[in-house]
Amino acid sequence: MIAKDLENGVERLGEMIASASAIVPFTGAGISTECGIPDFRSPGGLWTRNRPIPYDEFVASPAARDESWRRRFEMEATFAAARPGRGHRALAALHRAGKVPGVVTQNIDNLHQASGIPADDVVELHGNTTYARCLGCDTRYDLLWARTRFETSGHAPACDLCARPVKTATISFGQPMPTEAMRRATELAQACDLFLVIGSSLVVWPAAGMPLLAKRAGARLVIVNREPTEQDDDADLVIRHDIGETLGPFVGN
Ligand code: NAD
């Protein structure tokens, strides 16, 4: 059912939150747009400006790796300046209240952790862009290391230990999903009684399978997104309004 207006949506969401004992938020790029990070598919989003570089292209092509890192550093000021928004803070408040066993996110921006939710309780399906890893031996690198290499050599960094390419710790199209994160997300989705989709177009699979998994396991499903999604018909409540305005009342003190 679609909330008839914002007030009605917030009221019904409040009732569902109050009666739930295990809430699993599932977040997408839309929760971070008010923090200044553009999403992929809204007008003017990243998708419209840059074709994503698939994983096999990154691995095979030095030019693709250079371009990928160039784009990452171009975005660095935006990522570095971003602070948790009302959506992140509302979820952190629900976590503090003991209602949220874990947040499942498609986001790579680290803002749930920055909002105070312990990293162990943030399940990142698409990784994290605030650090990097070697594709060969998995050594972790910070972005400053990568940037220094890039600026000194003019090329994408390679691992100090094994010389394989180093990539932001994100999951690109065509890259295998992280097994442990998928396992935990599945477990959380199947064990909750309220599954909250926030700011996702629900078109990126297999992540987009999580809401239906939760629904089939008996959870109530809420979708907060300003544009329609293909799963709206399966939801118990759809709120087609701004995320900050919708979740602002749940931020608390
Ligand atoms: P998406 O761009 O496909 O969809 C975002 C949705 O959020 C859109 O349907 C849009 O209408 C909605 N939205 C945007 N701002 C909103 C607001 N203020 N209030 C209400 N709705 C709003 O994003 P996705 O489904 O997360 O999939 C894109 C992929 O790219 C994911 O893997 C995602 O993590 C990644 N990505 C991440 C970031 C980030 O970490 N912040 C940014 C861009 C893309």
Side-chain angles (χ1 to χ4, degrees), residues 27-34 37-42 46 79 105-111 126 173 199-204 224-229 241-244:
T27 61
I31 196 171
S32 298
T33 54
E34 81 168 8
I37 303 174
D39 63 8
F40 259 169
R41 290 175 185 79
S42 286
L46 296 174
F79 279 114
T105 188
Q106 299 178 88
N107 291 347
I108 56 175
D109 56 26
N110 212 50
L111 288 178
H126 296 157
F173 287 102
S200 175
S201 58
L202 295 177
V203 300
V204 180
V224 184
N225 204 62
R226 67 182 166 211
E227 285 172 307
T229 79
H241 289 279
D242 180 71
I243 291 161

Side-chain angles (χ1 to χ4, degrees), residues 36-37 68-83 108-109 128-131 142-144 147 151 168:
I37 303 174
S68 173
W69 276 106
R70 188 197 63 73
R71 288 182 191 176
R72 177 60 188 86
F73 295 131
E74 189 178 80
M75 287 292 292
E76 178 52 12
T78 301
F79 279 114
R83 296 289 171 266
I108 56 175
D109 56 26
N128 189 309
T129 195
T130 64
Y131 61 95
D142 61 33
L143 282 196
L144 185 60
R147 186 163 207 154
E151 285 173 358
T168 55

Side-chain angles (χ1 to χ4, degrees), residues 15-90:
E15 289 162 5
M16 289 166 96
I17 287 174
S19 64
S21 52
I23 303 170
V24 171
F26 173 88
T27 61
I31 196 171
S32 298
T33 54
E34 81 168 8
C35 315
I37 303 174
D39 63 8
F40 259 169
R41 290 175 185 79
S42 286
L46 296 174
W47 192 270
T48 56
R49 283 186 273 147
N50 279 329
R51 178 188 67 89
I53 296 170
Y55 182 64
D56 55 357
E57 203 177 317
F58 184 94
V59 173
S61 158
R65 292 199 286 278
D66 290 352
E67 172 60 10
S68 173
W69 276 106
R70 188 197 63 73
R71 288 182 191 176
R72 177 60 188 86
F73 295 131
E74 189 178 80
M75 287 292 292
E76 178 52 12
T78 301
F79 279 114
R83 296 289 171 266
R86 287 169 290 179
H88 300 99
R89 287 186 276 129

